[in-house]
Amino acid sequence: MAAVRALPAFAAALLLAAAGQASKYSREANEGLAAAGDKRREAGEFRVVRLNQVWEKAQRLHLSAVKLAELHSDLKIQEKDELSWKKLKAEGLDEDGEKEAKLRRNLNVIMTKYGMNGKKDSQLVDTNYIKDGTESDILDDPRLEKLWSKAKTSGKFSDEELDKLWREFKHHKEKIHEYNILLETVSRTEDIHKNVINPSEENLVKEEILHNKHRELKEKLRSINQGFERLRKVSHQGYDATSEFEEPRVIDLWDMAKSANFTEKELESFREELKHFEAKIEKHHHYQKQLEISHQKLKHVEGTGDKDHLNRNKEKYAMLQEKTKELGYKVKKHLQDLSSRISQGLQHNEL
């Protein structure tokens, strides 16, 4: 009987020990994330010199914690693409220089997005609509400003829904930015091509590149038009409770996927993958919010002079910063893969 009575106490001790171990492992994992970030910073954040230069410049711009984490994810994708291109170039597989030109274009998009392209007021503001009243000033499109103003005063949206709609407006502006940069590149290439007197094999290759760029422009313009129609509809009618997806990037992908050359089975499979992708984005949004809260708390604690409290907050902030960067990279890489598959499906439509 004594042995039986001892069992609950023994089980409780085991549970306490297990909880202690779990807490220890969780703490060690968080410390490991923060330490990995410190080690990487000492060695240089990126393996490409010019990306390190961009990152260092961004540190001096006083971007918000969330915006810096987002930039880090964008630069990580750029790094992956540049390292892949270097391998291709070494194998002689980018003779026409098109992939290199696309890399420069992508970096230009990033620089513009974060206000580092030398143009005043080019940065997309990192805010939700509640934080300040100047949001319409940075949409750069009277049609968008008019739609946003109507949506904001319509009474059809809760604060949470307005925040979600504002993300859709910002996403739409980013798409227009990217389209304009590509359009400018195509226009310059066409001007050079028109001035060539003698056609040659090299010029035929360049003509094919131009054709590909025109197709990319067409895809982007289609996405912009579809996106605007969606914004117009939602702004006037409010959100549809039966809507399949909520995240702007996922809605874009789904609209394009339905226009691509997918079989019914492939489309259904893509739909399921988009659900997983949207869950990944929501998780990333959660960490972005936690990072913002942690940053505000850290600034408050810095003024108290409590060193122990400050160190704990710094550790938590560093962990959240690394986790947000890591998730941001995974989201952007997944988006890149999904977009590539849709682009191939759309190309098949044109054949």
Side-chain angles (χ1 to χ4, degrees):
M1 287 292 290
V4 171
R5 279 196 303 273
L7 277 173
F10 178 66
L14 274 178
L15 283 170
L16 282 170
Q21 282 293 95
S23 175
K24 178 188 171 189
Y25 290 140
S26 176
R27 188 172 64 253
E28 285 175 356
N30 291 345
E31 287 169 356
L33 267 176
D38 291 340
K39 190 175 179 183
R40 194 179 61 242
R41 280 186 285 276
E42 286 170 17
E45 198 73 21
F46 301 95
R47 288 180 285 170
V48 178
V49 174
R50 65 174 169 171
L51 299 187
N52 272 319
Q53 290 168 345
V54 171
W55 180 246
E56 285 162 15
K57 182 180 179 180
Q59 308 289 310
R60 299 191 292 272
L61 288 179
H62 305 295
L63 297 175
S64 72
V66 171
K67 204 72 174 172
L68 267 178
E70 192 73 4
L71 170 62
H72 191 277
S73 305
D74 280 331
L75 291 176
K76 271 308 227 186
I77 291 290
Q78 182 75 11
E79 178 185 55
K80 174 183 73 71
D81 292 343
E82 292 210 15
L83 293 174
S84 298
W85 167 74
K86 281 181 181 179
K87 285 182 184 175
L88 285 175
K89 190 183 178 186
E91 295 165 10
L93 295 177
D94 189 29
E95 289 181 12
D96 54 29
E98 168 57 10
K99 287 184 172 61
E100 184 181 8
K102 189 169 184 181
L103 283 171
R104 281 200 302 271
R105 203 160 64 237
N106 289 347
L107 187 58
N108 192 359
V109 168
I110 292 170
M111 299 287 279
T112 302
K113 182 178 174 183
Y114 297 95
M116 292 187 286
N117 62 343
K119 293 180 183 176
K120 202 174 180 182
D121 301 329
S122 66
Q123 183 186 334
L124 292 176
V125 172
D126 175 35
T127 178
N128 60 34
Y129 89 97
I130 298 169
K131 285 186 185 171
D132 63 35
T134 60
E135 67 282 339
S136 63
D137 296 338
I138 57 111
L139 287 173
D140 291 340
D141 185 329
R143 295 185 310 165
L144 291 181
E145 287 168 16
K146 191 175 177 182
L147 279 182
W148 174 246
S149 180
K150 278 187 177 178
K152 215 171 35 165
T153 55
S154 68
K156 292 186 174 77
F157 302 93
S158 65
D159 281 352
E160 188 180 341
E161 286 174 332
L162 272 175
D163 200 25
K164 184 169 74 174
L165 184 61
W166 179 237
R167 287 206 308 272
E168 289 202 46
F169 273 92
K170 287 201 297 180
H171 174 62
H172 192 79
K173 182 182 175 179
E174 279 184 44
K175 288 197 296 184
I176 294 170
H177 259 300
E178 290 177 19
Y179 175 81
N180 287 336
I181 288 168
L182 181 59
L183 184 61
E184 192 181 327
T185 308
V186 170
S187 299
R188 281 200 308 266
T189 311
E190 279 182 335
D191 287 343
I192 294 165
H193 191 68
K194 281 174 188 172
N195 292 329
V196 173
I197 299 168
N198 297 318
S200 64
E201 192 175 326
E202 185 182 342
N203 288 325
L204 288 173
V205 169
K206 285 179 179 174
E207 202 169 310
E208 178 61 25
I209 291 168
L210 263 178
H211 176 72
N212 290 337
K213 282 182 179 175
H214 276 290
R215 187 175 60 234
E216 193 180 343
L217 272 173
K218 190 177 172 184
E219 284 175 21
K220 285 185 182 295
L221 189 58
R222 183 195 291 126
S223 175
I224 286 169
N225 288 335
Q226 285 178 337
F228 182 78
E229 279 307 304
R230 173 181 160 72
L231 283 174
R232 190 185 59 75
K233 186 179 175 185
V234 172
S235 298
H236 284 89
Q237 298 176 12
Y239 278 108
D240 181 0
T242 62
S243 178
E244 192 150 17
F245 301 108
E246 294 186 0
E247 163 58 38
R249 286 168 289 184
V250 180
I251 292 165
D252 269 356
L253 288 169
W254 181 236
D255 285 343
M256 287 193 289
K258 287 185 288 188
S259 305
N261 189 28
F262 291 142
T263 64
E264 199 173 317
K265 189 176 179 182
E266 285 170 336
L267 197 59
E268 185 54 40
S269 172
F270 199 81
R271 185 206 304 263
E272 288 305 310
E273 191 168 350
L274 285 178
K275 286 178 184 175
H276 292 301
F277 180 51
E278 188 164 63
K280 195 181 285 185
I281 292 173
E282 284 167 6
K283 187 177 180 183
H284 182 223
H285 281 324
H286 167 76
Y287 272 95
Q288 284 180 315
K289 285 174 186 171
Q290 293 304 308
L291 179 64
E292 190 176 343
I293 292 166
S294 178
H295 187 244
Q296 293 301 322
K297 195 172 179 183
L298 183 60
K299 284 200 292 188
H300 171 72
V301 173
E302 279 173 344
T304 65
D306 185 339
K307 286 186 178 178
D308 287 342
H309 199 191
L310 180 61
N311 287 336
R312 283 197 301 274
N313 275 275
K314 277 184 176 177
E315 186 182 298
K316 184 178 180 182
Y317 176 69
M319 180 275 291
L320 284 168
Q321 201 175 35
E322 290 305 308
K323 190 67 181 175
T324 307
K325 287 175 186 175
E326 179 192 316
L327 279 169
Y329 173 74
K330 286 179 179 176
V331 164
K332 288 174 193 295
K333 187 175 182 304
H334 200 168
L335 175 62
Q336 198 178 50
D337 294 342
L338 291 168
S339 300
S340 175
R341 280 165 53 191
I342 289 176
S343 183
Q344 287 167 14
L346 290 169
Q347 283 175 38
H348 285 151
N349 285 354
E350 294 178 4
L351 295 175

